[in-house]
Amino acid sequence: MTAMSDGDTTQTDEDALGTERQVEAAERAALELANVDEAARDEALHAIADGIRERGDEVLAANAADVEAAEAALERGEYSQALVDRLELDDAKLHGIAEMVESVAGQADPLGETLAARELDDGLDLYEVSVPIGVVATVFESRPDALVQIAALCLKSGNAAILKGGSEAGESNRVLHEVVVEATRDVDGVPEGWAQLVEAHEAVDRVLALDDEVDLVMPRGSSEFVSYVEDNTQIPVLGHTEGVCHVYVDEAADLAMAEDVAFDAKVQYPAVCNAVETLLVHEAVADDFLPGLVDRYEDAGVELRGDAATRAVVDVGEATAADWETEYGDLELAVKVVEDVSDAVRHVNEHGSKHTESILTEDDDNAAAFMQGVDAASVFRNASTRFADGYRYGLGAEVGISTGKIHARGPVGLDGLTTYKYYLEGDGHVVASYSGEDAKPFTHVDFDGEWRPGDPDRP
């Protein structure tokens, strides 16, 4: 282990102090942003979209530098092709990012919604109202569009954002963060410091230690990384782990349709977490289904591995035990022949990552058995796993896909970035009136009503 010089120690202390100041600034901003009205938040989002369009050449130039460095790392065997593919931006992707931000602005305001209203007694009314979480820290992968997605969703939901992207997208992230900050600086009401970019790898551990200031951590990465975050912080963690997704072709599937869906789920964009990694095929249709699909996969450059039953039908490589639990993120696919829908469910629950699963069938009973039996955030019938996406779900965008079950599950959009608080409106009520021998009873009657401060017409 190399000894640390006094100069190194000083630099480390300064870096730690810098991270703490960024988080403190975000905490202050979060308290202000929680009370910024929807019109100002939407104005800021439209300003971000305009900024991305206006500074597109600058963003693409920064991204080109990242891609050039990544391609060199790819040649050295340090990066995968999938990572480079996720990293690269072009005019069409920039246009899509700007549209995504505008779609977030077009979503209904998630704040100030009365989730429940209950009369406790005459003149004593309780309201459950949606509010921001506060300071949301995210650590995300090489896709630079993730920075803008997360920032846009945090802004719309009234949360301050701590943004930590991968070093491979460093140049892109710096410019995009600058666009976000500059675009919102002059919007009345939007506080300075609401979006903070941290870059040093060591800054992750510093942020994880600040459990009094940070309210939620959303890591996007491998299971190992998510586990590391969970083990090294007292901050609540909403984990986005890998996507070991399955498509099961049932004996009652429309095989022509099944071929198209299974092909799309792997080939349309293999580098993302909702691409299929294992194809399960009912033994009754394997002989009819697999040869044509395998030819189509191989024409598209997909490397296939199968179990013994699969290899008895088609000429593919041999699958190992590790293949059933691997997120390839590339044009690779494992194939297994199963006995029935119950066998498919058992395999998915044993080897899947609880992300997204799909059954292709015309049989309602088999569909129900699969969809209810599989433990996953999203379960589809006769549809590609690639639909598991916040934008496609109509959420505007997503911070990530949660494979856990607490607080938020599946694509995490605006609702997943809110919590609630209780507002109790009384008129001099005291608990003593409801205690003792002559205690008044509570009415506990739910009613339709919206909490509004100072509303004279409140029931």
Side-chain angles (χ1 to χ4, degrees):
M1 182 174 178
T2 303
M4 181 178 288
S5 68
D6 290 343
D8 291 336
T9 303
T10 300
Q11 185 61 55
T12 300
D13 291 343
E14 290 177 353
D15 291 343
L17 184 59
T19 302
E20 290 178 10
R21 285 173 176 164
Q22 284 184 281
V23 173
E24 288 170 358
E27 185 183 26
R28 290 192 298 270
L31 294 173
E32 295 183 44
L33 193 57
N35 298 297
V36 173
D37 64 32
E38 181 186 17
R41 284 178 276 128
D42 288 347
E43 179 186 347
L45 288 166
H46 285 291
I48 292 172
D50 292 342
I52 290 169
R53 293 188 178 100
E54 291 167 2
R55 298 178 63 177
D57 290 344
E58 189 178 346
V59 174
L60 291 178
N63 182 251
D66 285 330
V67 171
E68 182 179 0
E71 288 176 339
L74 176 64
E75 291 181 3
R76 297 191 298 269
E78 298 171 5
Y79 286 170
S80 67
Q81 184 63 54
L83 183 146
V84 177
D85 291 343
R86 290 195 298 268
L87 176 62
E88 189 169 6
L89 296 175
D90 55 25
D91 286 329
K93 287 184 179 180
L94 271 185
H95 180 72
I97 292 171
E99 285 192 332
M100 176 275 301
V101 176
E102 290 169 337
S103 75
V104 172
Q107 297 292 302
D109 189 2
L111 303 181
E113 179 184 359
T114 299
L115 306 174
R118 178 173 300 125
E119 177 194 274
L120 305 188
D121 194 8
D122 184 32
L124 187 63
D125 299 323
L126 182 69
Y127 298 84
E128 181 184 340
V129 180
S130 61
V131 297
I133 288 174
V135 178
V136 177
T138 61
V139 186
F140 49 94
E141 74 286 6
S142 61
R143 291 168 49 198
D145 58 317
L147 183 146
V148 185
Q149 283 186 349
I150 294 164
L153 287 166
C154 283
L155 178 56
K156 178 74 177 187
S157 57
N159 293 286
I162 306 293
L163 305 161
K164 172 63 176 79
S167 59
E168 66 280 355
E171 297 294 333
S172 305
N173 286 336
R174 284 186 207 106
V175 174
L176 286 168
H177 176 255
E178 184 180 309
V179 171
V180 167
V181 170
E182 291 292 332
T184 59
R185 178 163 288 154
D186 296 327
V187 178
D188 188 35
V190 176
E192 185 176 353
W194 72 271
Q196 298 285 340
L197 178 67
V198 297
E199 298 191 63
H201 179 72
E202 297 80 6
V204 174
D205 287 331
R206 297 181 199 126
V207 171
L208 295 181
L210 299 174
D211 51 278
D212 285 338
E213 292 84 9
V214 179
D215 297 290
L216 180 70
V217 178
M218 287 199 66
R220 295 171 55 155
S222 67
S223 291
E224 291 78 11
F225 176 66
V226 174
S227 295
Y228 174 83
V229 170
E230 292 172 334
D231 292 341
N232 287 276
T233 190
Q234 296 183 51
I235 304 167
V237 177
L238 196 61
H240 176 184
T241 61
E242 70 257 344
V244 181
C245 302
H246 299 75
V247 169
Y248 165 55
V249 181
D250 186 49
E251 62 178 330
D254 177 326
L255 296 186
M257 178 195 70
E259 182 178 313
D260 288 340
V261 172
F263 185 83
D264 178 90
K266 177 77 268 184
V267 177
Q268 194 273 333
Y269 192 7
V272 287
C273 61
N274 58 16
V276 66
E277 306 295 10
T278 297
L279 176 69
L280 304 175
V281 181
H282 193 289
E283 61 184 8
V285 298
D287 288 345
D288 293 329
F289 180 69
L290 281 173
L293 178 60
V294 166
D295 286 345
R296 193 171 171 185
Y297 275 145
E298 290 179 343
D299 287 344
V302 180
E303 181 180 340
L304 297 162
R305 305 178 184 90
D307 67 341
T310 299
R311 287 181 282 111
V313 179
V314 289
D315 183 16
V316 297
E318 182 177 357
T320 66
D323 284 308
W324 308 128
E325 298 180 355
T326 298
E327 181 184 31
Y328 300 112
D330 209 340
L331 289 173
E332 299 178 65
L333 183 71
V335 185
K336 180 179 178 64
V337 173
V338 295
E339 295 178 2
D340 54 24
V341 65
S342 297
D343 193 16
V345 169
R346 280 193 297 270
H347 181 94
V348 170
N349 286 340
E350 182 177 352
H351 301 287
S353 61
K354 303 183 180 182
H355 190 296
T356 302
E357 314 296 349
S358 181
I359 179 173
L360 308 181
T361 187
E362 300 303 307
D363 186 286
D364 292 342
D365 291 338
N366 287 351
F370 185 89
M371 298 178 81
Q372 295 172 351
V374 160
D375 184 10
S378 294
V379 188
F380 302 160
R381 176 184 182 182
N382 293 338
S384 170
T385 56
R386 290 281 290 112
F387 281 103
D389 174 83
Y391 177 77
R392 297 186 180 105
Y393 278 16
L395 305 179
E398 67 185 38
V399 182
I401 293 180
S402 172
T403 51
K405 300 180 182 180
I406 304 301
H407 173 61
R409 195 177 194 192
V412 180
L414 295 173
D415 287 345
L417 291 175
T418 64
T419 182
Y420 55 84
K421 65 169 67 172
Y422 288 108
Y423 295 136
L424 184 62
E425 296 277 359
D427 187 19
H429 292 74
V430 295
V431 169
S433 302
Y434 304 90
S435 303
E437 187 176 339
D438 297 322
K440 291 180 64 177
F442 289 105
T443 56
H444 287 164
V445 176
D446 293 342
F447 63 90
D448 293 330
E450 295 289 325
W451 181 83
R452 294 289 182 268
D455 185 354
D457 298 324
R458 184 180 295 113

